[in-house]
Amino acid sequence: MSASLVGSEMCIRDRYNLYRKKLPAAGLNSTSRPQNFSAEGLTQKTITGQAKAFSAVSFRASLLKETIFQGQFKTEAMTPKNPKWQLAVTRFSPLEHRKNDIRTEFERDRNRIMHSEGFDRLRFKTQVFPLSENDMISTRSSHVIQVTDIARNISRKLGLNEDLVEAIALGHDIGHSPFGHDGEKTLKAICIQNGLAPFWHEKNSLRMVDKILTLKNTRGKENNLGLTYAVRDGIINHCGEIDENFIKPRDEFKNLSRLQSPGQLQPFSWEGIVVKISDKIAYLGRDIEDATKIGILTDKNQKDLQAIMKKHIPDFEGQVNNTVLMNTFVTDIVKNSSPQKGIGFSKPVFDLMNDIKKYNYEHIYLIKGAKSVSQEQCDLVLGTIFDKYSSMYRGKDTLKFLAKASQSSKYIKNFRNWIVKYTDNDERSKEFENAVIYDLSSHKDYKQAIVDYISGMTDKYALKTYNNLCNQ
């Protein structure tokens, strides 16, 4: 067999057989394992031979892994052969189509999410600990990328649609508030106090991709993202706080904008379930590492975590960190999932995950003083911004009032530009072909516009806005 055939065009079996033939030449048979050896007295030829032997064994092992996990969900993947396909690729709003476009529907969704302003802003939003704590801790953006990596890894092993998984994962937190879950609690309280639908980040992420975020088309016009149903569904149904094992997707096509609370539905696709579980896998271990970096967790906590690991995995040895937890969870879920049972973990690992989550809540998330920005401070900053903008409402004359106020504050000017983009008014540029979602004759709509605007802010921009408005 010529060397030119070695590569992506060869099937796994052909590649495996080729390297199996090379094993005897490397001094190994098909069951050989590399032996420990001393470097003393070895010639360069011997060392080279040993290196080739190890390389052959390593390659053989990787091929065997590929063969074992050759996609037990391949027939369930969201492809044109799936009975749900036509519903899955239905778009919320039409997109411009180009004759030379080589992307799949889900690849387009992935690109539209990644190139939106909402995705850019995630790098300056809190994951758990405020960004001022340490340059090396997770941001909302790094969390999203980590979820995407884990989800693609699991998806690849199970044989699911990786493009769909990636699009959902990249967009799942795109509507998260500034200051993490503390900011989410603040906005929820503001909404309830003002007669608006309660804020929850999964629903707000759907609102962002459906009605707020825009991209320019080939004519230079701003259009909404117009994502597919499968991606939108995975975004709003990604809630990883529900403790359940062996999950299966639902069959019903639901109006996603009518959902009232997180965890109300299972995702429409297997790919959505993978992202839902990957979200939890990503944050559990990483939050432990971040808490350790800034001194919230100590050596005593590490011993506690090791005891939890040994309780569920008796032969466990070593440190409990993100690498260990990710490997444990990902390997276990791939080995134990099937279309018949659903996607899930063995009982020991499922119990381990819940115990680690409980420990994190008790020793990280709920510890008073663990974060430099408290819930009270978050309430003050976001609450003040809301109140200041709300006090500027003048009915149909609101734009005139905001124009005058903008002369002394770029932060009021930026908010006014937001209002212009999403309302029907004489100043609205012809380049805006996105949906009109607010009516300025409605004070309730105006208040919703403020909540939407705040939810898109970065931590830094929220603080700057607060400081500026307090001095007006």
Side-chain angles (χ1 to χ4, degrees):
M1 185 178 294
S2 70
S4 63
L5 293 178
V6 180
S8 60
E9 295 183 2
M10 294 180 61
C11 70
I12 289 175
R13 183 181 294 107
D14 290 339
R15 288 157 61 196
Y16 172 68
N17 286 337
L18 173 65
Y19 274 80
R20 194 162 182 249
K21 290 178 182 178
K22 290 186 176 182
L23 292 178
L28 297 169
N29 57 42
S30 60
T31 59
S32 293
R33 296 181 180 178
Q35 302 294 316
N36 293 328
F37 63 96
S38 169
E40 293 180 12
L42 291 180
T43 64
Q44 182 62 44
K45 182 177 180 180
T46 305
I47 294 174
T48 303
Q50 289 281 7
K52 289 181 178 179
F54 289 140
S55 176
V57 171
S58 176
F59 188 86
R60 180 168 59 86
S62 68
L63 291 183
L64 289 174
K65 288 179 182 179
E66 289 183 50
T67 306
I68 292 170
F69 303 121
Q70 195 59 83
Q72 55 266 48
F73 282 79
K74 214 164 190 177
T75 58
E76 309 295 322
M78 191 58 72
T79 67
K81 294 181 180 179
N82 192 307
K84 296 180 178 179
W85 175 256
Q86 289 304 322
L87 294 175
V89 296
T90 301
R91 291 195 174 275
F92 183 75
S93 54
L95 291 186
E96 178 183 58
H97 284 277
R98 281 163 283 182
K99 294 179 181 179
N100 62 345
D101 203 326
I102 60 174
R103 297 168 297 174
T104 67
E105 296 297 330
F106 300 137
E107 284 178 312
R108 292 197 75 186
D109 285 357
R110 177 196 65 202
N111 293 157
R112 293 184 74 75
I113 291 168
M114 283 193 69
H115 294 285
S116 70
E117 289 183 354
F119 188 82
D120 289 339
R121 289 193 292 264
L122 292 178
R123 58 185 165 154
F124 298 116
K125 287 190 176 187
T126 289
Q127 169 61 11
V128 174
F129 304 104
L131 306 183
S132 59
E133 298 280 5
N134 189 310
D135 287 344
M136 301 304 294
I137 62 174
S138 298
T139 64
R140 184 64 55 181
S141 178
S142 58
H143 164 73
V144 164
I145 293 170
Q146 289 151 15
V147 172
T148 304
D149 179 61
I150 293 169
R152 286 205 68 154
N153 192 6
I154 295 172
S155 175
R156 184 178 298 114
K157 297 298 185 291
L158 297 183
L160 292 169
N161 189 321
E162 292 181 48
D163 294 330
L164 174 54
V165 161
E166 186 175 17
I168 296 171
L170 289 172
H172 82 278
D173 271 354
I174 204 162
H176 220 298
S177 58
F179 307 118
H181 288 285
D182 289 340
E184 184 173 15
K185 291 175 186 175
T186 299
L187 290 182
K188 181 178 180 180
I190 288 173
C191 287
I192 293 173
Q193 291 164 9
N194 287 274
L196 305 175
F199 182 95
W200 40 294
H201 79 269
E202 296 93 339
K203 181 70 172 284
N204 198 58
S205 291
L206 180 69
R207 183 172 175 81
M208 278 285 173
V209 299
D210 280 355
K211 298 182 177 181
I212 306 247
L213 297 174
T214 61
L215 288 174
K216 287 189 176 182
N217 61 22
T218 57
R219 297 177 291 110
K221 307 295 185 181
E222 296 278 352
N223 292 130
N224 296 107
L225 299 191
L227 305 183
T228 60
Y229 181 81
V231 173
R232 296 173 57 243
D233 174 85
I235 287 173
I236 193 171
N237 290 307
H238 81 262
C239 177
E241 300 304 309
I242 307 302
D243 296 323
E244 53 200 320
N245 204 11
F246 290 110
I247 309 172
K248 292 184 177 182
R250 72 177 196 280
D251 292 323
E252 303 83 10
F253 184 89
K254 296 285 188 180
N255 186 332
L256 302 175
S257 62
R258 293 180 181 174
L259 297 186
Q260 300 299 314
S261 59
Q264 190 175 333
L265 293 177
Q266 294 295 2
F268 186 65
S269 66
W270 290 104
E271 288 83 356
I273 291 174
V274 167
V275 174
K276 178 176 181 173
I277 297 175
S278 298
D279 186 27
K280 185 183 292 187
I281 294 174
Y283 76 69
L284 286 177
R286 193 57 191 256
D287 290 350
I288 289 171
E289 289 198 350
D290 285 348
T292 301
K293 287 175 184 176
I294 63 175
I296 292 174
L297 296 185
T298 64
D299 291 343
K300 179 185 178 302
N301 298 110
Q302 179 60 217
K303 291 177 181 177
D304 293 342
L305 291 166
Q306 290 172 5
I308 292 173
M309 287 289 290
K310 290 187 75 68
K311 171 185 171 184
H312 299 290
I313 306 176
D315 61 349
F316 172 78
E317 298 290 343
Q319 291 280 308
V320 178
N321 54 38
N322 192 41
T323 301
V324 168
L325 290 175
M326 279 197 303
N327 182 68
T328 300
F329 294 142
V330 171
T331 302
D332 189 83
I333 203 170
V334 170
K335 288 181 178 179
N336 288 281
S337 298
S338 71
Q340 295 72 37
K341 292 191 301 181
I343 295 180
F345 303 92
S346 64
K347 189 175 187 311
V349 173
F350 180 67
D351 291 342
L352 167 66
M353 173 174 275
N354 287 333
D355 279 356
I356 293 289
K357 179 182 173 183
K358 180 182 177 183
Y359 191 88
N360 281 12
Y361 267 91
E362 292 174 351
H363 297 271
I364 301 175
Y365 311 138
L366 300 180
I367 292 294
K368 195 167 184 178
K371 293 172 283 187
S372 62
V373 178
S374 66
Q375 183 66 59
E376 291 77 16
Q377 291 170 316
C378 189
D379 291 345
L380 175 64
V381 171
L382 300 188
T384 298
I385 294 172
F386 179 87
D387 291 340
K388 290 287 187 180
Y389 283 139
S390 185
S391 69
M392 298 176 190
Y393 181 68
R394 299 293 187 276
K396 291 185 178 180
D397 292 327
T398 299
L399 287 179
K400 291 181 181 178
F401 182 85
L402 290 174
K404 186 175 181 180
S406 295
Q407 294 174 8
S408 61
S409 171
K410 71 175 184 179
Y411 296 93
I412 297 176
K413 182 179 181 180
N414 290 343
F415 174 64
R416 185 181 185 276
N417 290 340
W418 169 277
I419 295 294
V420 168
K421 182 176 180 178
Y422 296 101
T423 59
D424 187 9
N425 61 83
D426 294 337
E427 295 182 43
R428 193 168 191 255
S429 170
K430 291 182 179 180
E431 75 178 50
F432 294 137
E433 293 185 347
N434 57 289
V436 170
I437 56 178
Y438 310 123
D439 179 358
L440 278 181
S441 66
S442 166
H443 196 182
K444 186 175 181 180
D445 271 18
Y446 180 77
K447 289 179 179 179
Q448 183 63 59
I450 301 172
V451 171
D452 291 341
Y453 186 64
I454 292 174
S455 74
M457 291 181 178
T458 63
D459 297 8
K460 180 169 59 175
Y461 190 81
L463 289 170
K464 288 183 176 180
T465 302
Y466 166 78
N467 289 326
N468 179 268
L469 294 181
C470 284
N471 292 320
Q472 293 298 309

